[in-house]
Amino acid sequence: MPNRLTILGSSSALPTSARFPSAQVLEMLGRYFLIDCGEGTQIQLRRSKLPFAKISAVFISHMHGDHFYGIFGVIASFAMLGRKNPLVIYAPPELEEIYTHHAKVLREELPYPLKFVHTKQSKLPYLIYEDKAVEVYAFQLRHRAPSTGFLFKEKPKLLPLRKGIHIEMKLSIKEIAGLRQGMDITRGDGSILLCSELTVQPKKLSSFAYCSDTAYCPEISEIVKDVDLLYHEATFPNEMAARARETMHSTASQAAEIAKKANASKLVIGHFSARFHDVSIFLRQAKAVFPETMIADDLRYFDF
Ligand SMILES: [Zn+2]
């Protein structure tokens, strides 16, 4: 099964008749992560036929309404569906504050544990989520409100040894452990055991990066280097670069520039200004810089 990104909302601040505000679901190695949660996210989740109940974690980039107004409905619907599994929300501290007040006023009691983990502004990426097979790093973007990007990565697994090789080469337990962790081992007699020869090499580990609202920020490309799929906002076409600067958003070619500098395999652009019903201009401008660009349309998905 490939990893899959499903777009639930691709508009910027104002929803349009064709586009909901920001939200997407990343399916990675059987896990389901909700990333940003604009108004109407649960409607789009229903339409997408994604397994609603399997979402284990939510990542919210920043405290602008078009990125989190939907979370209250999602939390309440999980309760109505009798959810028992814990839900963890990674978000700026203010979201917990708002939710706590909201739950108090509504006397909302949940049948499942809900936990908030606060994001922080950090120039260096930091590990915010980890399980057996996936890790997520958070990093600072450049926006009017503190905004966080997320890098999702498959974790390296222990490599299986080639069949019978441990007997043939009389490998010790220590040598086996080192080889399986990807190391070459120098033996007492000076000979070298090459990991690449003695183990079954894994397929390339997949990664996805989400760069929500941000002004052009070339440092991002170092953090998301060699990512398989990059989502980067492109709120405005190039002609509106001044407006993009003023509102701390990116243009189509700036998003493409980040993908190019990062050596990404593919780029998805979204968060289009609501004044553009036809977004082909964004695609044209981005493709001129980075040909492997695709448009985020609501309910469109991308395998990687
Ligand atoms: Zn914003």
Side-chain angles (χ1 to χ4, degrees), residues 3 154 201-207 225-228 265:
N3 294 319
E154 289 184 2
Q201 292 296 295
K203 68 170 185 65
K204 187 182 172 294
L205 298 169
S206 275
S207 55
K225 198 94 194 146
D226 298 324
V227 75
D228 293 290
S265 302

Side-chain angles (χ1 to χ4, degrees), residues 17 27 38 58 120 127 139 152 168 175 199 212 230 236 297:
S17 57
E27 192 180 338
V58 183
K120 58 181 185 205
L127 186 69
F139 53 94
F152 298 77
E168 196 183 311
E175 286 169 342
T199 61
S212 178
L230 170 66
F236 297 107
D297 286 314

Side-chain angles (χ1 to χ4, degrees), residues 62-67 143-145 147 212-214 247-249 271:
H62 67 296
M63 295 304 287
H64 281 160
D66 54 325
H67 295 259
H143 193 44
R144 300 194 308 284
S147 188
S212 178
D213 292 13
T214 184
T247 54
M248 299 190 82
H249 283 296
H271 198 265

Side-chain angles (χ1 to χ4, degrees), residues 7 56 85 108 120 128 145 157 172 191 194 243 281 285:
I7 306 295
S56 56
N85 298 333
E108 186 165 80
K120 58 181 185 205
I128 194 167
K157 293 189 199 82
S172 69
S191 63
L194 289 175
R243 180 84 184 127
I281 184 173
Q285 293 179 346

Side-chain angles (χ1 to χ4, degrees), residues 229-230 259 264-268 283 286-287 289-294:
L229 186 67
L230 170 66
S265 302
K266 288 186 170 138
L267 168 68
V268 176
L283 187 61
K287 269 178 174 275
V289 178
F290 187 79
E292 289 299 319
T293 304
M294 299 169 290

Side-chain angles (χ1 to χ4, degrees), residues 73-94:
V74 167
I75 291 171
S77 290
F78 277 147
M80 280 187 267
L81 292 166
R83 183 185 177 110
K84 293 276 179 280
N85 298 333
L87 181 70
V88 184
I89 299 178
Y90 300 84
E94 294 82 0

